[in-house]
Amino acid sequence: MTDLTEVDIARAAALTRYLHEHIPLSVAMALRVEPSAPGRLRLSAPHAPNRNPHDTVFGGSLATLAIAAGWTLLFDAMRRESIAAALVIQHFECDYLAPAAAEFAAEAVLPEDWPGFLEQLRKRGRARLNLPVRLSCAGQDVLTAHARYVAIQES
């Protein structure tokens, strides 16, 4: 990974504040955006508030982190493009690969068809984008997900 700048660190803190102010579940899960380069996003959460009776991470917390990581990546990328749009999840599917018993993190990267998504959103006022997300814990993949987000440009 390239060296992160102070801007990347400040952006992560601002995105974490935004999530906590606008998505109450993000506070309960103690989600935090970690500094990353533009076009990438890493969202993490601690084990304790997300644990289940088996002392592993609740499956719903894993899925929520994946959805939130994709949403936050796209929300931030659209803001960078000065696009005001409602952004929602349309479809989500995942595979649970292994239990997570410590802090866990989701990683998402803007896909190759991002420019086409932007073009369609600007022309038609609405666009869809498929986005893969990967979750890991202690260096092991614990969940892979594929999500489809819909953006509707605000007037």
Side-chain angles (χ1 to χ4, degrees), residues 64-85:
T64 298
L65 193 73
I67 291 168
W71 186 92
T72 305
L73 171 69
L74 297 178
F75 171 79
D76 182 52
M78 287 190 310
R79 282 198 330 189
R80 290 170 167 275
E81 296 287 335
S82 299
I83 295 174

Side-chain angles (χ1 to χ4, degrees), residues 40-102:
R40 305 182 74 81
L41 187 110
R42 183 175 168 90
L43 188 60
S44 63
H47 172 261
N50 295 289
R51 72 185 183 283
N52 63 24
H54 310 291
D55 204 31
T56 58
V57 175
F58 174 61
S61 291
L62 293 170
T64 298
L65 193 73
I67 291 168
W71 186 92
T72 305
L73 171 69
L74 297 178
F75 171 79
D76 182 52
M78 287 190 310
R79 282 198 330 189
R80 290 170 167 275
E81 296 287 335
S82 299
I83 295 174
L87 180 65
V88 296
I89 183 86
Q90 181 180 46
H91 179 78
F92 179 79
E93 61 183 48
C94 67
D95 290 309
Y96 294 92
L97 307 173

Side-chain angles (χ1 to χ4, degrees), residues 112-133:
E112 288 182 20
D113 55 347
W114 171 247
F117 169 83
L118 289 176
E119 182 179 341
Q120 184 176 11
L121 184 57
R122 287 182 174 127
K123 282 184 179 177
R124 298 185 181 168
R126 161 182 291 237
R128 290 184 177 91
L129 185 69
N130 293 316
L131 185 67
V133 181

Side-chain angles (χ1 to χ4, degrees), residues 130-155:
N130 293 316
L131 185 67
V133 181
R134 183 180 64 84
L135 270 72
S136 62
C137 177
Q140 179 182 15
D141 285 349
V142 295
L143 181 140
T144 56
H146 296 279
R148 182 180 315 114
Y149 296 88
V150 176
I152 301 169
Q153 202 160 19
E154 297 173 347
S155 45

